[in-house]
Amino acid sequence: MGQRVGIIGGGQLARMMIAPAVELGIDVRVLAEVPDMAASLAATAIGDYRDVDTVLAFARDVDVVTFDHEHVPQEVLRALVGAGAAVHPGPDALRFAQDKLQMRAQLDALGLPQPEWAPISSAADLQAFLDAHGGRAVVKTPRGGYDGKGVRVVTAAGDVDDWLGERAAADPLLAEELVDFTRELAQQVARRPSGEMAVYPVVETVQRDGVCAEVIAPAPHATGRLAPVAAGIGRAIAEGLAVTGMLAVELFETADERLLVNELAMRPHNSGHWGQDGAMTGQFEQHLRAVLDLPLGDPAPRAPWAAMINILGGPVSASLGDRLSDALAAHPTVKVHTYGKAPRPGRKVGHVNAWGDDLDAVVYEARAAAAFFGG
Ligand code: ADP
């Protein structure tokens, strides 16, 4: 029997680890929150990831525990480690992906480039930050945000009174300078417990309404200076935070060609879906290898360009299956990945990957195929 990897969380990231696990003979088991999730195919348990006993019972039958999301509370993670479970990434790394204030402080300590920031406990704090930053700022809830929820552009001290009202003074918000970025990039690095790393090419990510819409790999115009700088930031964070598994570093590129760290994810990430088909080793296989401390695979691209287009649920909810046949017939060279989720509006329900020699043709092909699924 192969080594057993337990994934906490039953979303599409867990789902997409199943296929490479089957190929490598790795036994993947999933603790899903509810029945009928994206990764239910491999679910061996259903329960609450915030409940220590549920998680400890799940971990008992696996060799290593890893994650589909970053929401497992620190006390549960520490109970797992205390019980002797191998947890990758471990609690000391994961806390920097769980709490944006802790991340900002740690990146400063490592001397890495990031937006100016401050903790905010009152309207007066925010006013002082606005005064120092041209009257505009971004305020974030440090924990629990995703897809732009918990992120607000503000221009007045009272703009986050609702958030401040819900919180204790000892639990501040994060204020950041409003970065006038020219585009958003993402840098992925895989790291094993033994320290070996594999560095992916930096990619461009395009967000719509706070949700990732498209990824181009590698990021156009990033050869030369930018790509090695991004790779260096990725390596420094993976090593400096002792990350194990896949790390994604979301970056802002500014008009004067600086890179600033926006946020971190310590798991497979939407910015790496292109690599399932476009890289020698995709992030889902790489994450499994890394958390099991197996030799890492080659992260190099298979083709000069790859594009990933997300499929979002649209106003008219039809199942992806109804449109699959037409999409496959029209676009035999792309790969369609579906998550088995109900296509509620705005929800990520699948993606399309295309790759090849000509960037425009690759992007066109991927967009045209994704368009079959509405959204
Ligand atoms: P989430 O955790 O919800 O993904 P992020 O911190 O990544 O939140 O922010 C979501 C989006 O908001 C970013 O992708 C970016 O477009 C915008 N954003 C976040 N921080 C800043 C900032 N300091 N300046 C300008 N835009 C920002």
Side-chain angles (χ1 to χ4, degrees):
M1 189 173 65
Q3 285 183 287
R4 297 157 303 177
V5 175
I7 306 171
I8 298 182
Q12 65 259 26
L13 302 178
R15 177 188 179 97
M16 288 186 274
M17 288 187 238
I18 298 171
V22 169
E23 289 173 355
L24 288 175
I26 294 166
D27 180 3
V28 156
R29 301 174 182 200
V30 170
L31 171 60
E33 291 85 334
V34 291
D36 293 327
M37 291 191 71
S40 289
L41 184 63
T44 52
I46 292 175
D48 186 351
Y49 58 79
R50 293 164 300 191
D51 181 65
V52 175
D53 293 335
T54 301
V55 173
L56 283 176
F58 174 69
R60 216 161 280 140
D61 294 328
V62 299
D63 298 305
V64 57
V65 175
T66 191
F67 310 95
D68 163 87
H69 58 71
E70 283 128 359
H71 306 313
V72 180
Q74 278 286 321
E75 54 280 15
V76 175
L77 297 172
R78 291 187 191 276
L80 274 175
V81 172
V87 181
H88 293 296
D92 288 330
L94 209 47
R95 70 194 174 98
F96 299 114
Q98 293 178 318
D99 188 309
K100 292 177 182 178
L101 276 168
Q102 291 194 34
M103 172 196 72
R104 289 281 175 241
Q106 188 66 14
L107 294 183
D108 271 356
L110 291 171
L112 291 165
Q114 58 178 342
E116 289 182 27
W117 65 281
I120 295 289
S121 300
S122 65
D125 286 352
L126 179 53
Q127 187 61 56
F129 192 86
L130 286 168
D131 291 345
H133 294 91
R136 302 185 312 166
V138 176
V139 178
K140 301 182 179 182
T141 52
R143 289 181 300 279
Y146 66 96
D147 287 350
K149 295 174 184 66
V151 175
R152 201 178 282 175
V153 176
V154 302
T155 53
D159 281 354
V160 290
D161 279 351
D162 51 337
W163 286 353
L164 286 169
E166 294 163 0
R167 312 172 74 81
D171 190 17
L173 297 166
L174 167 65
E176 295 177 0
E177 73 176 284
L178 180 67
V179 178
D180 187 17
F181 57 81
T182 49
R183 59 178 177 165
E184 295 188 65
L185 305 175
Q187 175 66 57
Q188 287 193 299
V189 176
R191 185 172 175 278
R192 291 169 67 179
S194 57
E196 186 198 356
M197 290 192 277
V199 181
Y200 283 83
V202 66
V203 302
E204 178 171 346
T205 66
V206 179
Q207 267 66 235
R208 262 179 234 125
D209 301 326
V211 180
C212 176
E214 302 187 3
V215 174
I216 311 290
H221 315 296
T223 46
R225 204 188 65 88
L226 216 53
V229 171
I233 292 171
R235 281 176 177 278
I237 294 175
E239 255 171 2
L241 273 48
V243 180
T244 44
M246 286 298 307
L247 164 72
V249 182
E250 295 180 14
L251 297 160
F252 298 130
E253 182 182 345
T254 63
D256 54 353
E257 286 206 355
R258 286 183 309 142
L259 295 181
L260 303 174
V261 177
N262 175 28
E263 70 163 344
L264 310 179
M266 295 181 194
R267 50 170 169 76
H269 186 253
N270 203 163
S271 64
H273 291 359
W274 68 275
Q276 287 172 303
D277 306 300
M280 299 297 292
T281 313
Q283 63 168 346
F284 299 100
E285 175 176 344
Q286 197 77 292
H287 187 74
L288 291 170
R289 291 187 187 212
V291 300
L292 284 168
D293 210 9
L294 292 169
L296 299 178
D298 185 354
R302 289 177 189 270
W305 298 106
M308 188 283 325
I309 313 292
N310 272 339
I311 301 168
L312 302 184
V316 184
S317 283
S319 99
L320 294 190
D322 294 344
R323 302 173 187 176
L324 190 62
S325 177
D326 289 344
L328 296 182
H331 297 282
T333 63
V334 307
K335 291 288 180 192
V336 177
H337 299 261
T338 67
Y339 308 157
K341 289 160 63 173
R344 287 201 295 273
R347 200 178 193 207
K348 291 175 187 169
V349 292
H351 65 271
V352 174
N353 285 335
W355 61 97
D357 295 331
D358 181 84
L359 176 57
D360 287 344
V362 166
V363 172
Y364 174 82
E365 193 75 15
R367 282 186 189 158
F372 271 85
F373 300 99

